[in-house]
Amino acid sequence: MRRKLVAGNWKMHGGLAQNQALLEGILPGVKGLRTADCVVCAPFPYLAQVQALLKGTTVAWGAQNLSQHPSGAFTGEVSASMLRDFGCRYVIVGHSERRQLYGEDSATVARKFNAALDAGLTPIFCVGETLEQREAGATEKVVAEQLDAVTGLVGAAGLGRAVVAYEPVWAIGTGKTATPDQAQEVHAFIRKRIAESSADVAAGQQILYGGSVKGSNAKELFAMADIDGGLIGGASLKADEFVTICQAAAQ
Ligand code: 13P
């Protein structure tokens, strides 16, 4: 049985006081959960704060991006080893906002994925199609290209050390969640695609769904055969919502 995972992606939200209140709201609600893991991915400046507040708890933490380079003259960038210094276990790689707003192509995403693995971080590797691509019937082609760029560089075994997150771009921040069947269909495709390289890796691969997951729809999404948890944006900023989602994953 694959373990369920719920990861909060705070995106560019929060502040010292807000983060503390949020984490203090989350911790009691997820403390007793044994069958699911919870993670929060904070903006870089708050990693030290998050580390101090979460160390020794059941909630892990991570970052939302990293450089593909180990060090050097790359002004404004943050390396994988720097994330390790702040106790990060996870890092989001290839989020659609990075791909769309910051021009990250699949080759760059693959290099970032590799840099994360090299430092012992677990990438939360995002794939997903736009509405235009879905309507053109290109969902599988787009997702396959995104997956293949990573497996081409790190192999199926490398992918198996990560978490995959299917995030249809049209469902992100729109309130328009993929139906459980729509999500399951793509999750099954992703697992099948991985199985073409390694049946073992495919069977164990955690594949999260992301895109307007809320307390009210998490349970039905997580009940699908190939959905192993969620990557949560907006609802991860509300303690009660995030706790409800983590609890749904632990059922
Ligand atoms: P929302 O949950 O706000 O739709 O965001 C999803 C997301 O992009 C998580 O990475």
Side-chain angles (χ1 to χ4, degrees):
M1 256 277 278
R2 291 181 299 272
R3 239 180 119 71
K4 293 261 196 308
L5 177 73
V6 174
N9 174 7
W10 291 359
K11 306 192 180 182
M12 199 174 73
H13 295 288
L16 286 172
Q18 253 173 292
N19 302 344
Q20 180 162 352
L22 177 59
L23 293 175
E24 284 172 358
I26 290 171
L27 282 170
V30 301
K31 201 174 166 195
L33 302 182
R34 297 270 170 272
T35 52
D37 296 314
C38 304
V39 184
V40 296
C41 294
F44 294 136
Y46 300 120
L47 289 175
Q49 180 197 20
V50 168
Q51 178 181 36
L53 291 170
L54 295 182
K55 210 169 176 184
T57 74
T58 55
V59 178
W61 61 96
Q64 301 168 14
N65 184 27
L66 81 167
S67 170
Q68 67 264 46
H69 304 291
S71 66
F74 301 105
T75 302
E77 292 291 287
V78 173
S79 72
S81 68
M82 294 173 185
L83 301 182
R84 285 299 304 262
D85 276 347
F86 290 94
C88 290
R89 191 182 309 164
Y90 294 91
V91 60
I92 298 171
V93 175
H95 191 280
S96 62
E97 287 152 17
R98 302 290 325 165
R99 293 180 191 262
Q100 292 198 314
L101 305 174
Y102 299 97
E104 286 188 18
D105 59 13
S106 287
T108 305
V109 171
R111 284 193 288 270
K112 290 185 173 203
F113 185 112
N114 194 33
L117 283 190
D118 276 351
L121 293 166
T122 301
I124 300 175
F125 164 49
C126 301
V127 298
E129 82 289 359
T130 62
L131 184 60
E132 205 179 16
Q133 289 164 333
R134 172 163 281 257
E135 286 175 346
T139 298
E140 293 190 354
K141 182 170 165 274
V142 168
V143 170
E145 183 273 331
Q146 292 169 335
L147 278 174
D148 293 353
V150 164
T151 40
L153 188 66
V154 302
L159 190 67
R161 290 167 57 200
V163 176
V164 175
Y166 169 58
E167 295 208 309
V169 178
W170 48 272
I172 295 177
T174 58
K176 207 174 148 193
T177 322
T179 65
D181 287 336
Q182 277 176 322
Q184 166 59 26
E185 193 181 2
V186 182
H187 281 234
F189 169 75
I190 292 170
R191 204 175 300 289
K192 191 171 95 218
R193 187 85 182 178
I194 300 168
E196 288 166 16
S197 306
S198 165
D200 280 354
V201 169
Q205 186 81 55
Q206 276 180 323
I207 308 175
L208 312 184
Y209 167 76
S212 299
V213 178
K214 306 183 273 275
S216 57
N217 60 22
K219 201 173 154 188
E220 53 176 9
L221 285 160
F222 299 166
M224 304 308 285
D226 289 294
I227 301 184
D228 305 312
L231 181 55
I232 320 299
S236 75
L237 300 170
K238 297 180 196 141
D240 55 344
E241 279 283 311
F242 192 64
V243 166
T244 303
I245 295 167
C246 293
Q247 288 170 344
Q251 277 177 8

